């Protein structure tokens, strides 16, 4: 999915598909985008495939303004889950990054 290190290069992902990616170094961050299929909520589930990565999640509205952060994960190897309010046919953005300069592989699904 590289390059996807800024919101303007966010890689589109289909809802309901599992995406595998990774944080390669302390400067890496990954942006993805998706189009909402409905009004309501979508759920973002990140599965940590690393014993070292401490993942963090930020979400953005269609205008690219911050809509908030996912739950605060404090230990390496933990997963995270976040729900976002969405409007049908709008494009939203997700940023995955690491805390404390950690690295590792992860997968996620947006449903």
């Amino acid at each position: 999915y590289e390059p996807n290190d800024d919101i303007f290069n966010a890689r589109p992902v289909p809802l309901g598909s599992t995406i595998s990616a990774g944080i390669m170094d302390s400067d890496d961050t990954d942006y993805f985008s998706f189009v909402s299929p409905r009004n309501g909520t979508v759920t973002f589930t990140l599965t940590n495939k690393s014993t070292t990565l401490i993942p963090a999640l930020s979400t953005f509205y269609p205008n690219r303004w911050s809509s908030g952060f996912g739950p605060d994960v404090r230990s390496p190897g933990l997963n995270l889950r976040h729900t976002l309010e969405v409007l049908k046919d709008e494009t939203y953005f997700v940023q995955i990054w690491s805390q404390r300069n950690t690295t590792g592989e992860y997968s996620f699904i947006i449903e």
Side-chain angles (χ1 to χ4, degrees), residues 56-107:
L57 172 75
S58 303
T59 54
F60 299 86
Y61 294 119
N63 62 5
R64 295 183 175 88
W65 290 359
S66 175
S67 58
F69 298 95
D72 189 19
V73 175
R74 297 177 185 230
S75 300
L78 296 180
N79 302 327
L80 66 81
R81 187 177 174 96
H82 182 66
T83 302
L84 179 65
E85 289 286 329
V86 294
L87 297 174
K88 184 178 180 177
D89 298 328
E90 295 287 336
T91 300
Y92 293 85
F93 301 89
V94 174
Q95 176 190 18
I96 301 166
W97 45 284
S98 73
Q99 299 181 66
R100 294 190 247 155
N101 299 318
T102 59
T103 62
E105 301 294 317
Y106 65 86
S107 66

Side-chain angles (χ1 to χ4, degrees), residues 5-52:
D5 293 341
D6 63 61
I7 200 166
F8 298 102
N9 288 300
R11 297 296 178 188
V13 295
L15 267 69
S17 295
T18 300
I19 307 299
S20 294
I23 300 297
M24 297 178 287
D25 58 47
S26 60
D27 294 327
D28 192 18
T29 186
D30 293 338
Y31 283 88
F32 299 93
S33 66
F34 67 93
V35 177
S36 173
R38 63 185 170 277
N39 290 332
T41 60
V42 296
T43 301
F44 181 93
T45 304
L46 182 141
T47 301
N48 196 338
K49 296 185 172 188
S50 167
T51 59
T52 56

